[in-house]
């Protein structure tokens, strides 16, 4: 049985080095609040405000380390609140996506793009993917038990030596399935 | 193939006659804004504010007609905003559920109970249920297609001569599945 732990992603932002500088000042380094499931990734102590045409979210968590491009990951529910219509995308694929205004303690950035609803996916270490016969970018179906039991189709397998086993869904998906971080799902 | 139209329920409230009187004044009658899929049911022009320990929602739609008991149906996402932890329940089963404060134009009501996250369900007219071999209170699995394709398990069949075919899910479930009111699903 192929069991995977669930990791629920609340809305968050990844910042580029350039944008971090504009929001927090030159030479500012993020402080680790909590390590995440993927090696080297962390939730930072620092937060920013996300401002859309219709609404805003204050104190949105930054995930580190800094990246090449800034990216905002929100749920569809969040998108309605902000007044945006971001597409469902894999992380990093931000071509043609909407932007928003990011406000930090020392400045603001108007992102031209980078807002996505993240496509659900499972991170596999290469060894696990091999053992289970799972290919990188394969689409999987994953079952969750309980009073809101459901089967997620279109779950993308992401395989790398740098990954640890984790099934990433957003808050809408977690609420629809009645699950939280640390619960378990089963690949069908 | 057993195809069912999807009806997405945003947060809403059903009011008792007594509570409607306290919120809108004696003798006040709700105005129909829009007929709903179930015969005789309607969204009212009137709204109320829902106030929880941690947050509130202004202008929450009232669904009519008035009922024996007041009931508030919210998504799990809404529940976090309000600071409540309502159980997943079928409509009408409000024993042991939390309450909240409801504010109307002429008064407030402190509900002692009645806040639920609605269990997903399909309304069937008796004739359809017969034709498809579906029993009242049977649990069904229902598939949604698309980029967020999923299969909802634990879907409760509600059969009555007073019902019209409609698959009711809340906004978390609709967002997780990437669907909206009027889209179609398939009973497996």
């Amino acid at each position: 049985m192929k069991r995977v732990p669930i990791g629920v992603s609340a809305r968050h932002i990844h910042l580029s080095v350039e944008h971090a500088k504009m929001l927090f000042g030159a030479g500012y380094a993020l402080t680790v609040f909590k390590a995440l499931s993927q090696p080297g990734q962390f939730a930072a102590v620092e937060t920013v405000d996300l401002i859309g045409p219709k609404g805003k979210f204050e104190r949105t968590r930054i995930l580190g380390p800094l990246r090449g491009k800034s990216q905002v990951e929100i749920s569809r529910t969040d998108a309605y609140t902000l007044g945006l219509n971001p597409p469902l995308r894999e992380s990093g694929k931000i071509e043609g996506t909407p932007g928003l205004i990011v406000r930090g303690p020392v400045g603001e950035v108007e992102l031209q793009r980078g807002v996505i609803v993240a496509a659900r996916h499972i991170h596999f270490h290469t060894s696990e993917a091999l053992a289970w016969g799972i290919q990188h970018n394969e689409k999987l179906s994953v079952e969750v038990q309980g009073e809101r039991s459901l089967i997620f189709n279109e779950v993308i397998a992401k395989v790398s030596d740098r990954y640890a086993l984790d099934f990433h869904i957003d808050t809408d998906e977690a609420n629809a399935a009645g699950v939280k971080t640390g619960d378990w799902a089963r690949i069908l």
Side-chain angles (χ1 to χ4, degrees), chain A:
Chain A
M1 185 147 102
K2 300 167 187 170
R3 290 176 79 234
V4 289
I6 296 170
V8 181
S9 299
R11 60 179 167 268
H12 62 270
I13 186 168
H14 302 276
L15 289 175
S16 69
V17 174
E18 180 200 355
H19 290 158
K21 190 170 161 182
M22 292 163 72
L23 295 164
F24 290 93
Y28 190 92
L30 295 175
T31 307
V32 175
F33 171 63
K34 185 170 73 166
L36 299 178
S37 65
Q38 300 311 303
Q41 305 292 306
F42 63 91
V45 170
E46 292 81 359
T47 62
V48 291
D49 297 342
L50 304 181
I51 303 162
K54 279 185 54 185
K56 65 175 175 174
F57 290 112
E58 298 183 333
R59 294 179 298 283
T60 300
R61 190 68 63 188
I62 301 169
L63 300 194
L66 300 178
R67 293 185 172 190
K69 289 176 188 167
S70 293
Q71 177 173 296
V72 179
E73 297 179 41
I74 60 175
S75 70
R76 184 62 58 199
T77 300
D78 294 337
Y80 289 122
T81 301
L82 292 170
L84 295 171
N85 187 20
L88 187 78
R89 287 287 175 85
E90 290 182 58
S91 182
K93 301 191 174 173
I94 61 169
E95 193 80 7
T97 60
L100 47 59
I101 293 168
V102 184
R103 183 173 293 158
V106 309
E108 271 187 15
V109 175
E110 186 173 348
L111 296 184
Q112 296 306 304
R113 67 189 66 76
V115 182
I116 66 169
V117 176
R120 49 203 182 219
H121 57 278
I122 300 177
H123 293 278
F124 295 91
H125 188 269
T126 311
S127 61
E128 286 152 342
L130 261 174
W132 288 351
I134 286 164
Q135 311 294 320
H136 184 63
N137 284 336
E138 186 180 346
K139 299 284 186 70
L140 305 169
S141 291
V142 180
E143 184 176 44
V144 167
Q145 303 283 345
E147 64 180 5
R148 285 192 132 179
S149 171
L150 55 73
I151 296 168
F152 289 111
N153 297 323
E154 302 292 325
V155 179
I156 304 166
K158 310 298 285 180
V159 179
S160 165
D161 285 344
R162 298 171 296 109
Y163 290 159
L165 188 65
D166 213 18
F167 175 30
H168 284 179
I169 56 177
D170 73 10
T171 46
D172 285 339
E173 294 171 317
N175 290 335
V179 294
K180 56 188 191 313
T181 292
D183 288 345
W184 290 81
R186 185 167 68 95
I187 299 170
L188 300 182

